[in-house]
Amino acid sequence: LAEALSEEGTAPKDWVMTELEPLLKERLVYVFNATKDRLGRVPGTFALYGADFIIDETLHVWLTEVQKYPGMSTEGIKMDIVPALLKETVNLV
């Protein structure tokens, strides 16, 4: 993403790391804090949530949905992401 945005002149090469990642984290923390009292908690377990964002042509970031138990298929772009995500999740737990 960073390379594509930089090549088309839409954003500086470091935009993803310096602007996008902190913004995504900020939005996710906000959503979590707004809903944490309504999330069911079972001792000794964890839940995996997914969040979908859209970046428009002006680089405005929109949170479109948060879902519990996101699709974990390893097709297409997820082929590289899902195995690493699962490994990191297990290491955290």
Side-chain angles (χ1 to χ4, degrees):
L1 176 63
E3 187 175 320
L5 291 173
S6 178
E7 284 178 7
E8 65 184 29
T10 305
K13 193 162 191 145
D14 66 346
W15 181 81
V16 170
M17 294 292 289
T18 62
E19 301 292 327
L20 181 60
E21 285 188 16
L23 183 61
L24 296 179
K25 289 177 185 178
E26 176 185 299
R27 302 269 166 91
L28 291 171
V29 167
Y30 179 85
V31 169
F32 174 76
N33 286 330
T35 60
K36 67 183 176 185
D37 294 335
R38 289 177 259 158
L39 299 174
R41 293 175 48 182
V42 179
T45 66
F46 70 95
L48 182 63
Y49 293 85
D52 293 341
F53 292 89
I54 294 175
I55 304 170
D56 70 19
E57 64 277 352
T58 65
L59 300 181
H60 185 86
V61 179
W62 301 89
L63 173 63
T64 59
E65 69 175 330
V66 176
Q67 65 275 357
K68 190 172 183 180
Y69 308 118
M72 300 303 286
S73 69
T74 54
E75 298 173 358
I77 193 169
K78 292 182 178 181
M79 187 181 313
D80 295 329
I81 298 170
V82 170
L85 170 69
L86 292 175
K87 182 177 180 180
E88 187 172 337
T89 301
V90 169
N91 287 338
L92 288 173
V93 176

